[in-house]
Amino acid sequence: MRADVVVVGAGVAGLSTAARLSQAGLEVLVLEAADRLGGRAADERVDGYTIGDGAHLVHTSWPLLRTAAAPGRLGLRGFAPGVQIHSGGQRMRVGAGAARPQQSVTTLRVPVGNPVDRMRLTTLMYRLGATTPERALAGPEHPCSDSFHVRGYSPELVDQLLAPMLAAFAADEDLATSIRGADWLLRLLVRGRFAVSEHGSGQLARELAALLPAGSVRLGARVHAVHANRASADGGDIRARAVVVATDPVTAVELFPGLHQAAQRSVTTLWHSAPAENLAVEARRGEPVVLDADPGSPVVRSMVISHVAPRLAPPGRALIASTVVGHDGKHLEQLDRETLARLGVLYRVNTRDWTTVDVRHVENAVVAMNAPYNFTRSVRLISGLYVCGDHRDLPNLEGALNSARRCADAVLADLARSPR
């Protein structure tokens, strides 16, 4: 068999790369070992609910996400701006309205830290909100544990606001994240909104696959070896002018021994169902994503997904997704009981009538932005061999799309200089 380009992996990065190359006139074949599209951002229906291995959040400020599919096809539905932090029995709103960075002065009224803390954080969030994502990722490269101290933040501000944010959005409980990555996350609180697709987390992959000609994607096709001119799969060798590996970091290293393997963190997602009327009025109106800052709580992040995307749950039911980081994946029933008890505190309800839809533990779920972190790692290994994915860029869907764009550009540039 032959193709201009073989892409290994039908996740967001692989499908986006394939779509760009196909639109440039190349014949592309995508090989996926699993029996579904989407990789770590896939979804499925369970008892009438649409769930996935993780509660994937996107953000309305991500430029590539807005252009990845036809306008409106992703069906993005946003939570209220900013986040709501639960700490010591108090609920604190942090962040600003979309495209209104000047509203970040509300940080001055957050009852954590001291007045100097709040002034410093407000100044930082105003600056980040008024700048570009690229500028937010610029600057010195140090772990947050050092940088927060250098910036003069009090332990109270770190423990009750900054550390919960890193745990919730970077699965980092050790403050090892690059300060550049932390600033990029802070920018999300004051520019746009966190959102989900009303069609499920796999909708982005489905939209990208729809851009490819029929027969371009083969599921259940495991690739065992790659070379600059062919890929060896279950059905034999496939000749190609270029091969792109767009898999998770572990598989990429198996195919490219010696390739830098990014550190990854585990995430456990608990999906619960509740009677819609069981939740407080503010939750039914679509409150922000909730972060739990109380020490000892198993939950770092929770959200009532069905209140912004009702199609993801049956009528009259609410779908709640809660995230736990650093768990070993054992004794999940006990973790479920502890989480349900904590959700009763977070949402101020009795969770006796709640049911567990599913519990998903993923050992290598999130690429760690541990300092020093390279946010634009090379996608071109040699002419004819390329690698892309969120481990080569920002560790999220926007990073997967950006690495795919860089990879497709590299392939096109190389093939333009080589004979067919």
Side-chain angles (χ1 to χ4, degrees), residues 63-217:
L64 290 177
L65 182 68
R66 295 198 301 266
T67 59
R73 293 291 294 273
L74 288 181
L76 295 185
R77 297 293 180 263
F79 291 89
V83 293
Q84 184 177 96
I85 299 179
H86 188 284
S87 178
Q90 298 185 80
R91 289 171 173 259
M92 303 173 288
R93 287 284 297 271
V94 178
R100 296 287 299 276
Q102 66 273 18
Q103 289 187 6
S104 63
V105 295
T106 56
T107 309
L108 288 168
R109 298 196 295 269
V110 175
V112 295
N114 54 55
V116 175
D117 276 333
R118 295 192 285 274
M119 180 60 72
R120 286 172 175 162
L121 187 60
T122 295
T123 302
L124 174 64
M125 294 178 73
Y126 183 93
R127 177 176 62 80
L128 293 172
T131 190
T132 63
E134 293 76 17
R135 289 287 297 275
L137 287 172
E141 177 69 5
H142 300 291
C144 288
S145 56
D146 296 335
S147 298
F148 289 163
H149 176 73
V150 171
R151 290 181 177 182
Y153 297 147
S154 70
E156 292 77 16
L157 181 68
V158 173
D159 292 343
Q160 298 180 38
L161 197 157
L162 298 174
M165 180 195 69
L166 291 178
F169 298 119
D172 178 12
E173 296 182 294
D174 303 318
L175 303 183
T177 295
S178 161
I179 190 61
R180 294 190 294 156
D183 285 348
W184 185 83
L185 290 173
L186 278 172
R187 185 182 184 275
L188 301 184
L189 301 186
V190 294
R191 297 292 295 184
R193 304 175 182 223
F194 291 106
V196 295
S197 169
E198 66 175 346
H199 307 296
S201 58
Q203 181 66 8
L204 178 55
R206 291 188 286 269
E207 288 296 320
L208 292 171
L211 300 175
L212 296 170
S216 298
V217 180

Side-chain angles (χ1 to χ4, degrees), residues 9-20:
V12 168
L15 292 171
S16 182
T17 302
R20 286 177 175 272

Side-chain angles (χ1 to χ4, degrees), residues 87 89 116 149 325 328 383 420:
S87 178
V116 175
H149 176 73
V325 301
D328 59 7
S383 180
R420 178 175 290 275

